[in-house]
């Protein structure tokens, strides 16, 4: 008995998804970093301590996805090992938890860390002169959302996106190889 054609197409799509997921994860991670930097540079929204930690997640995911993609390219394999996708799952799940925690801090569900101030960044001569003249500067706090759209802050959107990326990474790590049957 032959499997329905739609079932074969679905399996091929899942196999292709698993094979290309590392490249997709790399592109999405870099796009998320570019978005964060755009808000900072063009929107003049300075990141807080937790915002910077959320960026670290995307840097880690980019590194893993890049290694997986390069490995698949240079070994001639039909895709990176599924372990890379599982590592991406763990990274994105950690990012989702961190972003959810940050969103909760912003809406005062719980307290944020004491170190929740921005780390030093680039300081211009004008800013330094103003500071030396007695100007008061205030670092961004983690419990204040600087931007909201439809009631969600950037941390809230990041929690949603990271959760989706974690689910897709888990799905990619479970890809089936053609010709193998799963036992129940």
């Amino acid at each position: 008995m032959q499997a329905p054609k739609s079932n074969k197409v679905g399996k091929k799509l899942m196999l292709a998804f698993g094979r290309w997921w590392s490249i997709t994860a790399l592109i999405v991670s870099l796009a998320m970093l570019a978005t964060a930097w755009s808000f900072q540079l063009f929107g003049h929204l300075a990141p807080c301590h937790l915002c910077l930690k959320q960026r670290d997640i995307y840097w880690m995911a980019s590194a893993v996805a890049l290694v997986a993609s390069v490995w698949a390219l240079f070994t001639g394999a039909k895709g990176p090992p599924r372990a890379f996708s599982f590592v991406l799952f763990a990274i994105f799940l950690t990012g989702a938890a961190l972003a959810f925690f940050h969103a909760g801090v912003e809406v005062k569900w719980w307290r944020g860390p004491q170190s929740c101030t921005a780390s030093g960044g680039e300081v211009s001569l004008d800013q330094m002169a103003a500071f030396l003249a007695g100007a008061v500067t205030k670092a961004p706090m983690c419990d204040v959302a600087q931007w909201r759209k439809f009631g969600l802050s950037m941390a809230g959107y990041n929690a949603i996106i990271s959760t989706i990326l974690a689910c897709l990474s888990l799905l990619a790590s479970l890809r089936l190889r053609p010709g193998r049957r799963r036992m129940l």
Side-chain angles (χ1 to χ4, degrees):
M1 186 169 160
Q2 193 171 359
K5 187 170 183 126
S6 64
N7 193 17
K8 286 183 181 180
V9 171
K11 285 183 181 180
K12 286 183 180 181
L13 285 174
M14 282 298 297
L15 186 60
F17 168 74
R19 288 179 179 167
W20 290 98
W21 175 243
S22 63
I23 293 172
T24 305
L26 175 63
I27 292 168
V28 171
S29 295
L30 293 175
M32 291 297 289
L33 288 167
T35 301
W37 277 99
S38 295
F39 272 99
Q40 182 178 344
L41 297 176
F42 304 118
H44 305 290
L45 299 176
C48 68
H49 177 71
L50 288 176
C51 293
L52 294 173
K53 293 295 181 193
Q54 290 172 73
R55 288 184 193 183
D56 290 345
I57 296 294
Y58 288 109
W59 282 115
M60 285 186 284
S62 296
V64 169
L66 180 64
V67 168
S69 300
V70 169
W71 183 89
L73 178 69
F74 285 113
T75 62
K78 292 182 178 180
R82 293 181 288 170
F84 282 110
S85 295
F86 192 77
V87 170
L88 285 171
F89 162 72
I91 291 170
F92 288 131
L93 188 62
T94 303
L98 181 60
F100 180 74
F101 174 76
H102 188 191
V105 168
E106 289 175 340
V107 294
K108 312 291 190 273
W109 287 345
W110 41 74
R111 294 177 54 110
Q114 292 295 91
S115 64
C116 208
T117 59
S119 61
E122 293 182 27
V123 178
S124 70
L125 290 176
D126 293 335
Q127 291 171 326
M128 191 177 291
F131 180 72
L132 291 174
V136 178
T137 59
K138 186 175 179 185
M141 299 301 296
C142 296
D143 60 350
V144 177
Q146 295 186 32
W147 179 90
R148 288 190 183 273
K149 183 78 169 181
F150 305 118
L152 283 178
S153 67
M154 284 187 272
Y157 282 108
N158 189 22
I160 293 168
I161 292 167
S162 293
T163 301
I164 291 169
L165 292 171
C167 291
L168 291 173
S169 296
L170 182 61
L171 188 62
S173 73
L174 299 175
R175 77 174 181 249
L176 299 174
R177 292 192 175 115
R180 288 195 177 176
R181 290 185 167 263
R182 291 188 78 159
M183 301 291 286
L184 295 179

